[in-house]
Every structure is written in structure tokens, then in C-alpha cells.
Amino acid sequence: MKTRLSLIAVGLMLASSVNAAVPGDNLSKGLDAQSYGQFVKTLSGDDFQGRLPATEGETKTLAFLQAQYKRLGLKPGFGQSYLQTVPLVSITSHPGALTLGKLKLDYLKDMVINSPKAVTQTEVKDADLVFVGYGIHAPDLGWDDYKGVDVKGKVVVMLVNDPGYATGDKRFDGKAMTYYGRWDYKFDEAARQGAAGALIVHQTAPASYPWSVVENSWGGARYDLAGQDIAKSDFSGWITEDAAKRVFSQAGLDFAKVTADAGKTPTALSLGAKASVAMTSEVKNTESHNVMGILPGQTDETVIITAHWDHLGMDPSHKDDPVYNGAMDNATGTAGLISLAQSLKGLYEGKEKPRRSVAFLAVTAEEQGLLGSKYYVANPSIPLGKTVANINMDSLNVFGPTKDMVVVGQGKTSLERELSTALAKQGRVLVPNDRPEAGGYYRSDHFNFAKAGIPALYAGGGTQPWDSDVAKYRAMMQKRLKGCYHNACDEYQADWDLRGALSDLQALHDVIESLATNRDWPSWQPGAEFSRPPATTAQ
């Protein structure tokens, strides 16, 4: 670790001494602040209504993206259409109070729960309440919080993240979150174990976001892929840490001690209480859409670039500002798709096409659990065996140019070498994410491609401002946008310094160009949890 960090430090010193223009100044044709900024501004405008799937906001978003793809001459990605229909079910739950023993937890204040089942009435009455540590069933790692306990028909309470966060347990990658720390894994596993209900205790540090994010992300309609034949609990959701402490105290348990022990050894114990709740839900079968355009190469081998176009929609109860505009998250990434298509288009015009095709895939329902990319990977229009790599963009850098670029999930694929080479042209270096405990590698759309064995790269932003002026601007803008993640204040700012985003896009442009013009197939690094058989080199 010390060696790696020292190399990074040396790299940063070298980067600062390189006589290079400020990143974001020298860019390929098609990458420019004016058009990129306009794309971001348009997609995050109030008239796009927060880009919630299956709403008027989606209709406007699809029309805009298709118009841009047609303007650039991209080939439709799904036969004769740019659109792939993604069947969804929308569930808007209205829970009453959640009773845990003698305690009554209020919706939004103490808990947020939903029905994951497409039913209009849900009732769980007098179900045993059980604490199951981190809710992990991983016997291959020597860890099973469910061992020796039958939770069928019961309500389980779990901690967020995984034991590595609490204790540095190397089985769970130390402080870096593994997939076992993600909320979707925990709810899925609880359902597989037969639990009637599943509750995650929210704690800001290990979750990496405050309670307000849970309220805004889980407090309205929730979507799922329609027609899935998988186990689901009757309800799932979150309780505040304060509520959890009261539940444990009611059972005569010390919350701090029990949870500390749960990070050291698998844990399952009764909380000595019954759980009850009733809720009604509005269920609507609907559909959303992925959008894809392709720059065709000489072969059907394809590099797929992704960004999610969706956000959280609107909340009319917030009368002063009801629109969750989602400017950073993820109008910046969606605008990046368009800009990269503009910049790469020149490779495919007026000369021999590169060997490989490049596809620009804007996916839906990322905010609902990566649903659009999950559906695409299960129903690909480009065979997965012909998909060379996935490069994903989510929340690009609006804080000015940096000397470095952060890769999320460092050390997973050979794509990082390609990116390091591209950054060196700008006098920059690649560095690992300084908050691996947030589990970023499992929180965006590249993850579904990775699970299918396709080498995936997720990188963006940096930590080292290019110069003192950028450092001052960065500090000011970070202060202004603090707390705006999944909140209404994530709005386009006219004074954003977009050179950071554009320099990152230029680096990704160079990586994509390299992948499109050579015969090599990216590979997973030894020890990475995803892999696929080596591809046969095309003739």
C-alpha cells in the first residue's frame, strides 16, 4: 500500500511539472464547453420534470436523445429503432405506522418502507423481529449471519455496508465495500431466506449518504422490472439509527456493543419483539426505454458507452422547488454520451472505418436499482460475446480541471492501463477512489456488465485541483452543492467550470479510440471477482 501511494505521489508531482495546457483546453473536435454545457442545461431543465421513468419527463428525454443521435448519424441500436422497451412495474406504497414491540415508527421520520411485491394490500402482523448482523450469507467466505436461524415469516434487521467497513476484515476487501454491503443484495438475500420483512439500519458514514437521501430516493414510487419470478419479502426499507437504538434498548441490548460484535463474527439474535405493519400500494404496469445509437465499425465487435438518463422526478409537496433536476446526477453523464459521439464521429467519416463499432447506450431506471442496464444485459441487441468493454459515466466533474482522475474499483481491469496512457497526454495521473467504503463500483450501470463478465471501467473527477485558482473555485462550488445529491438543489449552474468534465471526456475518448482501432481484448486483473473466458482474437 505504501509503495502504491508513493508512486501516486510521484506521479502527481510529475504531472504538476509537465508543461501541458490546462486539461479541458486542447480537445478533440466535438468536445467543447458550449455544446456540452447546453446539453446538461437542457436535460436538467424544469420542463424535463426530473426525468422520472414512465412520465412526461421521459417522453421529453427520449425525444431529445433520439434527435441528437439522428443529428450525428448514429445507427439505431435496436433494429430500426433507437429505443428498447423496458417493462416496469411502478409501486407507490402508503404504509401506516411500523410497530416494533411497544414502539411505533413514523413514515419518513423514523422509517421508509415499501412493498416490493406488485400487490395493493400488504399486512404483516406479529412477526418475530430478528437481528441478523450484516444480513450476509457467504459460506464460501466463512461468513453466514443466517446460519442456525430460521427467519421464514419473520422481520430481519440488518446493518448497512459489510464487516470490512467496521473491522477491516480482508474477506470483505477491508474498508472497501463489497457487493455484500449493498442494500439490494441485503434485501434480495432476506427474501431468499424467506423473511416477511427486511429493515436496514441507516448510518450516515457506512451508507455514505444522509437520511435525506433515503427519504428522497425511497419515499415515492419505486420501480422494478415487470414479470420477474424471484423471491420477495412483503416489505423492505430503512429505519434510522436512533429508531434502531430504541428497538435494541427495548430488548435490553446495547446497540453499540451488539453491532460492534456483529462486525467481528456472524450474528443472529432475537430482538424480543413482534413487528406489525399494514400498507396500501398503487400498482401500475408501465414501460420505460433504453436509448442506443451506434457508430458502426468494420466488425460487430463493439465497445459500449453507458450513462443513465433518469433521475427522481418531482415532489409536489416541495412547493418552493418540486423538481429534482438531476443536473450532475446524471445530466452530466448523459450529455457526455452525446459529446463523445460528436468527438468520435470523425473516426468513421471519409476514411476506412475502425475495426470496432462504438455504441452509446443511455439507460433508464438506474436510480431504481440499475434496472435499465440489468434489462439490457439480459436482453442485449449486441451479443455479450461481441461486447469488448463497457465504459460508464455517472456524475461528471463540474469542479474544474484536476491533476488526477479517479477510477472506481481500482485494480479490476486492464482498461486502467489504457486510461493511464490517455491521461499522461494531459499531464495527469490515474488514482484509486479515496472512499472505497462507499461501494461505488456496485452503484452504477457498469456493474451489470461486469457481472456478465464484460470488463467495465467507471472513472471520473479527481482530487487534486490543477492550480490555486481552480482550488479556490472548487472549494466554493463544493460548498454551494453540499447536500445536493438526490435533492432539488442538484441544478445546472451557469458558472460551472466544465473543463474538468471535458478533460475526463477527452481521456475516455482516447481510450475508446484505442479500443475501436486495435485487436486486443481487455482483461480482468487477477483476483477480480468477475471474469469471462479470454476472447478469441478476431481474424
Side-chain angles (χ1 to χ4, degrees):
M1 177 65 74
K2 289 182 179 178
T3 300
R4 187 181 73 183
L5 291 176
S6 64
L7 287 173
I8 291 170
V10 170
L12 287 171
M13 287 189 290
L14 288 173
S16 64
S17 66
V18 170
N19 185 22
V22 175
D25 285 347
N26 297 329
L27 301 168
S28 296
K29 183 180 179 181
L31 294 178
D32 63 85
Q34 183 175 358
S35 65
Y36 175 73
Q38 187 58 53
F39 296 148
V40 177
K41 182 178 180 180
T42 299
L43 285 162
S44 60
D46 282 354
D47 54 335
F48 278 63
Q49 301 178 9
R51 305 189 306 280
L52 186 70
T55 66
E56 180 63 25
E58 167 165 356
T59 301
K60 292 188 175 184
T61 303
L62 299 183
F64 179 76
L65 290 174
Q66 289 182 91
Q68 294 300 320
Y69 284 3
K70 289 176 183 177
R71 174 181 67 84
L72 293 169
L74 302 188
K75 174 187 172 184
F78 304 100
Q80 300 301 309
S81 177
Y82 290 106
L83 303 181
Q84 179 184 47
T85 300
V86 180
L88 297 176
V89 57
S90 166
I91 305 171
T92 306
S93 297
H94 306 284
L98 173 63
T99 302
L100 304 179
K102 297 179 180 179
L103 300 173
K104 285 190 175 182
L105 305 187
D106 294 327
Y107 184 60
L108 296 183
K109 177 185 176 184
D110 303 308
M111 60 82 177
V112 179
I113 58 175
N114 307 88
S115 169
K117 295 181 177 179
V119 296
T120 58
Q121 300 289 331
T122 300
E123 183 174 17
V124 173
K125 188 172 183 180
D126 294 332
D128 290 337
L129 192 63
V130 182
F131 175 64
V132 289
Y134 284 88
I136 295 172
H137 172 68
D140 55 319
L141 298 180
W143 194 283
D144 188 358
D145 288 313
Y146 290 98
K147 187 175 181 179
V149 59
D150 182 0
V151 299
K152 289 184 177 65
K154 300 176 183 179
V155 173
V156 297
V157 177
M158 304 168 281
L159 297 173
V160 72
N161 213 304
D162 62 40
Y165 178 86
T167 67
D169 193 320
K170 291 190 178 355
R171 288 175 291 181
F172 295 94
D173 248 1
K175 293 291 184 181
M177 184 192 287
T178 64
Y179 186 51
Y180 292 114
R182 290 288 295 142
W183 58 262
D184 46 351
Y185 165 78
K186 294 175 186 291
F187 290 150
D188 288 348
E189 187 58 47
R192 285 190 288 268
Q193 297 287 337
L199 298 169
I200 296 175
V201 178
H202 174 267
Q203 295 170 294
T204 297
S208 81
Y209 42 76
W211 179 253
S212 63
V213 172
V214 176
E215 289 182 89
N216 295 337
S217 302
W218 290 77
R222 295 293 300 171
Y223 291 84
D224 203 351
L225 294 177
Q228 292 189 105
D229 186 20
I230 60 174
K232 295 179 183 292
S233 299
D234 293 319
F235 74 87
S236 57
W238 302 72
I239 60 174
T240 65
E241 183 176 14
D242 179 68
K245 288 178 178 177
R246 285 183 278 146
V247 171
F248 277 66
S249 177
Q250 174 182 249
L253 298 170
D254 184 323
F255 177 80
K257 182 180 186 308
V258 172
T259 56
D261 290 344
K264 301 171 185 174
T265 185
T267 301
L269 55 87
S270 171
L271 291 174
K274 301 289 186 179
S276 299
V277 70
M279 70 176 81
T280 60
S281 298
E282 300 157 17
V283 179
K284 181 181 178 183
N285 285 303
T286 185
E287 60 185 33
S288 186
H289 301 83
N290 294 326
V291 191
M292 187 163 72
I294 301 173
L295 286 171
Q298 297 177 38
T299 72
D300 55 0
E301 294 175 7
T302 305
V303 181
I304 298 184
I305 320 303
T306 51
H308 73 91
W309 61 255
D310 67 301
H311 198 56
L312 303 179
M314 301 176 65
D315 185 347
S317 69
H318 295 177
K319 298 189 183 302
D320 56 333
D321 191 359
V323 180
Y324 292 98
N325 300 84
M328 275 193 67
D329 185 16
N330 185 33
T332 56
T334 309
L337 279 181
I338 304 169
S339 292
L340 282 173
Q342 285 184 164
S343 67
L344 289 160
K345 183 182 176 184
L347 294 175
Y348 296 81
E349 290 183 330
K351 51 189 173 183
E352 186 177 59
K353 295 178 181 177
R355 289 194 67 257
R356 288 170 171 159
S357 303
V358 179
F360 302 88
L361 175 61
V363 293
T364 184
E366 186 269 358
E367 303 289 8
Q368 307 295 327
L370 316 183
L371 300 183
S373 56
K374 181 179 181 180
Y375 186 83
Y376 174 83
V377 169
N379 304 274
S381 62
I382 298 163
L384 298 184
K386 294 291 186 178
T387 301
V388 175
N390 169 240
I391 295 174
N392 185 56
M393 299 178 291
D394 198 340
S395 301
L396 299 191
N397 175 24
V398 298
F399 301 108
T402 59
K403 299 174 184 177
D404 55 349
M405 187 173 180
V406 172
V407 62
V408 181
Q410 189 259 353
K412 293 191 183 293
T413 79
S414 62
L415 291 167
E416 293 170 31
R417 294 197 297 270
E418 299 273 2
L419 184 55
S420 293
T421 300
L423 289 170
K425 299 176 187 176
Q426 301 177 4
R428 302 171 67 200
V429 294
L430 190 65
V431 299
N433 180 16
D434 62 356
R435 294 183 63 245
E437 66 274 14
Y441 196 80
Y442 311 98
R443 290 171 59 177
S444 197
D445 291 295
H446 62 284
F447 180 52
N448 283 315
F449 287 87
K451 284 196 294 184
I454 296 167
L457 178 67
Y458 178 31
T463 60
Q464 299 290 323
W466 186 258
D467 56 30
S468 59
D469 288 339
V470 173
K472 292 175 185 176
Y473 162 82
R474 181 184 180 92
M476 177 274 294
M477 189 58 67
Q478 287 180 330
K479 182 178 180 180
R480 185 194 299 179
L481 297 181
K482 185 178 181 180
C484 288
Y485 172 66
H486 281 202
N487 273 295
C489 56
D490 181 9
E491 298 180 313
Y492 175 78
Q493 312 282 314
D495 57 344
W496 270 344
D497 183 348
L498 298 177
R499 291 177 299 169
L502 290 166
S503 59
D504 287 354
L505 288 171
Q506 180 64 58
L508 296 179
H509 167 107
D510 292 348
V511 171
I512 298 162
E513 181 175 351
S514 175
L515 292 171
T517 55
N518 68 41
R519 294 175 176 269
D520 297 333
W521 283 73
S523 60
W524 291 98
Q525 300 287 56
E529 62 263 57
F530 314 106
S531 63
R532 67 177 176 187
T536 301
T537 302
Q539 300 301 314

